[in-house]
């Protein structure tokens, strides 16, 4: 049974600016570089690694220590550079196209990944280093970063999306999050929360499409058709946004500083208790533990509400691939190291322990000594255990595709359309028809 649903589990989605593992990154356009030697000797090979996520560097540091101990004759020193999201991807794109200045290893976020797959990818195929791990990791996560059957990137997490509820606010309003199954339930609870506390139940996101993705996934729909062409003015999109707009009109949800839960401005709003719910991929846990310390012991994790009972309660939210460039100093060493750091059982345990991500090696999901370790910072922080929820929804994590049209779709929705709907009160169908026309024009 496990194999059957693993084959169908494909996790992708869209959000603005940070499609997937968006996180705190360097404010400097040049980035901030640190050297990780992890006990390596003088003969160690120096490799460079670019990322836009500080926490990814922390994971690689831990895996580098393990690698160097296990491979005394193939030790590595890693020069880690953290840059802002757009800046890093733009510089990486130019570097791999020109063959000049590229790092040995890099992270590429899901929303940007199609750009690096155009034509002949200037990235190293990874099939040979993936082979030892194929029986233990989710095949769809390998397919996610493949082209024509060749794997070019290694995933970081499954990204199952969930609801994060502030139980302190809900308790004050007399609401039990466990009774929330549908959006009607959420609306009723939210109106009660606003009436009793003056707080908003959740956010009306304007700079990300997490919420639209979950509404589409529940209806078996997408932002694009089977051929990858945009269809943002579909009946399903109109229905999903109509539900969200109704929630906003009834003071259940409201726009938030930063435009979505995964921004520095929004962390402060949540930490202050101004919003009771965030709908985000599971990797948002690391944002809570790192940037919202005041909420420790108050946040419960639950499935996302659905339009109708029986609909899927989750979708795959975002993703980041780690790749090796064709100009890498030691291609094979770099390939073997990232496979070890991303696919091995040890790596996936560390990905959970360090990053709070749901591992793609799903053997970890059943390792209660790991997932329910009382000393784990995520287990300590949250009201309930994340893996109890993950194992409940694991067969319901649905697909939102990432296509070459996705960056354009995302840009229009998150810079124009969602603001028009939630901030300006523009008619939903009119806003989506205008977005469809603008997207089609830009794609020409």
């Amino acid at each position: 049974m496990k194999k059957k649903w693993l084959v169908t589990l494909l996790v992708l989605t869209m959000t603005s600016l940070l499609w997937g593992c968006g996180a705190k990154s360097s404010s400097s356009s040049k980035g901030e570089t640190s050297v990780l030697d992890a006990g390596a000797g003088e003969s160690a090979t120096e490799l460079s690694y670019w990322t836009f996520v500080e926490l990814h560097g922390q994971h690689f540091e831990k895996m580098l220590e393990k690698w160097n101990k296990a491979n005394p004759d193939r030790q590595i020193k890693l020069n880690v550079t953290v840059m802002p999201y757009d800046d890093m991807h733009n510089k990486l794109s130019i570097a791999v196209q020109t063959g000049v200045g590229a790092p040995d290893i890099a992270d590429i976020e899901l929303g940007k990944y199609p750009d690096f797959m155009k034509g002949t990818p200037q990235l190293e195929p990874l099939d040979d280093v993936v082979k030892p791990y194929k029986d233990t990791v989710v095949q769809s996560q390998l397919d996610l970063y493949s082209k024509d059957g060749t794997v070019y990137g290694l995933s970081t997490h499954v990204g199952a999306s969930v609801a994060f509820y502030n139980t302190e606010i809900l308790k004050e309003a007399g609401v039990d999050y466990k009774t929330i199954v549908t959006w009607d339930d959420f609306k009723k609870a939210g109106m009660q929360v606003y009436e009793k506390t003056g707080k908003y139940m959740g956010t009306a996101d304007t700079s990300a499409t997490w919420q639209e993705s979950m509404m589409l996934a529940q209806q078996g729909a997408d932002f694009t058709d089977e051929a990858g062409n945009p269809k943002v003015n579909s009946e399903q999109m109109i229905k999903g946004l109509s539900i969200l707009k109704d929630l906003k009109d009834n003071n259940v949800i409201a726009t938030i500083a930063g435009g979505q839960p995964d921004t520095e401005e929004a962390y402060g709003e949540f930490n202050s208790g101004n919003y009771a719910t965030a709908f985000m991929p599971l990797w948002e846990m690391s944002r809570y533990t790192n940037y919202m310390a005041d909420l420790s012991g108050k946040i419960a994790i639950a499935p996302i509400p659905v339009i109708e009972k029986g609909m899927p309660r989750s979708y795959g939210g975002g993703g980041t691939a780690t790749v090796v460039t064709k100009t890498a100093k030691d291609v094979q060493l770099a390939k073997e190291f990232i496979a070890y750091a991303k696919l091995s059982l040890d790596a996936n345990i560390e990905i959970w322990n360090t990053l709070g991500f749901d591992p793609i090696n799903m053997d970890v999901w059943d390792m209660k000594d790991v997932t329910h370790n009382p000393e784990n910072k995520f287990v300590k922080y949250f009201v309930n255990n994340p893996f109890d929820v993950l194992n409940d929804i694991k067969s319901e994590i649905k697909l939102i595709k990432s296509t070459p049209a996705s960056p354009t779709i995302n840009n229009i929705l998150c810079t124009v359309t969602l603001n028009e709907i939630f901030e300006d009160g523009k008619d939903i169908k009119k806003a989506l028809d205008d977005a469809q026309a603008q997207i089609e024009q830009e794609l020409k």
Side-chain angles (χ1 to χ4, degrees), residues 16 203-208 255-263 265-266 418-419:
S16 85
T203 63
D205 296 350
T206 55
S207 68
T255 55
I256 189 170
Q260 58 136 327
D262 190 35
T263 65
E265 300 93 330
L418 296 179
N419 282 285

Side-chain angles (χ1 to χ4, degrees), residues 94 140 202 254 274 287 397 401 418:
I94 294 170
S140 59
N274 295 328
R287 314 313 193 247
I397 306 170
K401 299 189 298 292
L418 296 179

Side-chain angles (χ1 to χ4, degrees), residues 199-261:
K199 307 291 180 64
Y200 294 107
M201 186 67 170
T203 63
D205 296 350
T206 55
S207 68
T209 55
W210 305 117
Q211 295 176 339
E212 290 68 38
S213 295
M214 66 190 181
M215 288 297 188
L216 289 172
Q218 288 177 14
Q219 300 174 79
D222 208 318
F223 294 93
T224 57
D225 61 20
E226 291 301 317
N229 299 311
K231 55 172 187 178
V232 301
N233 56 348
S234 64
E235 291 183 8
Q236 294 91 342
M237 185 75 144
I238 293 170
K239 184 174 184 176
L241 275 167
S242 295
I243 291 171
L244 294 170
K245 184 61 165 56
D246 178 64
L247 293 176
K248 183 178 184 296
D249 291 343
N250 284 278
N251 294 316
V252 176
I253 63 176
T255 55
I256 189 170
Q260 58 136 327

Side-chain angles (χ1 to χ4, degrees), residues 58-248:
Q58 293 178 22
H59 169 69
F60 268 78
E61 183 174 15
K62 291 193 175 186
M63 295 313 298
L64 188 64
E65 291 176 5
K66 293 176 180 286
W67 172 273
N68 284 342
K69 285 181 181 178
N71 298 275
D73 298 329
R74 306 182 71 208
Q75 293 187 331
I76 297 169
K77 290 182 181 179
L78 202 62
N79 296 320
V80 180
T81 301
V82 182
M83 285 183 270
Y85 175 88
D86 282 322
D87 195 55
M88 193 220 77
H89 286 95
N90 291 339
K91 287 184 176 180
L92 181 64
S93 179
I94 294 170
V96 297
Q97 288 175 29
T98 62
V100 178
D104 302 297
I105 300 168
D107 281 343
I108 303 176
E109 200 272 329
L110 177 61
K112 297 288 189 182
Y113 199 76
D115 294 338
F116 289 83
M117 291 293 102
K118 292 176 181 176
T120 302
Q122 296 304 300
L123 306 173
E124 281 294 324
L126 302 174
D127 299 85
D128 58 327
V129 296
V130 165
K131 189 175 180 180
Y133 304 102
K134 287 203 73 169
D135 291 338
T136 58
V137 301
V138 181
Q139 177 62 40
S140 59
Q141 281 295 310
L142 300 177
D143 296 339
L144 180 59
Y145 297 110
S146 298
K147 180 178 181 179
D148 299 329
T150 298
V151 180
Y152 290 98
L154 302 182
S155 186
T156 309
H157 58 65
V158 173
S161 297
V162 297
F164 294 90
Y165 290 115
N166 184 320
T167 57
E168 184 177 63
I169 296 174
L170 299 188
K171 184 177 180 181
E172 183 182 349
V175 171
D176 180 2
Y177 75 92
K178 295 178 184 177
T179 65
I180 299 173
V181 177
T182 66
W183 288 110
D184 285 340
D185 297 333
F186 186 80
K187 178 180 177 180
K188 180 181 177 181
M191 291 175 70
Q192 188 169 324
V193 166
Y194 188 77
E195 179 185 352
K196 300 284 187 181
T197 70
K199 307 291 180 64
Y200 294 107
M201 186 67 170
T203 63
D205 296 350
T206 55
S207 68
T209 55
W210 305 117
Q211 295 176 339
E212 290 68 38
S213 295
M214 66 190 181
M215 288 297 188
L216 289 172
Q218 288 177 14
Q219 300 174 79
D222 208 318
F223 294 93
T224 57
D225 61 20
E226 291 301 317
N229 299 311
K231 55 172 187 178
V232 301
N233 56 348
S234 64
E235 291 183 8
Q236 294 91 342
M237 185 75 144
I238 293 170
K239 184 174 184 176
L241 275 167
S242 295
I243 291 171
L244 294 170
K245 184 61 165 56
D246 178 64
L247 293 176
K248 183 178 184 296

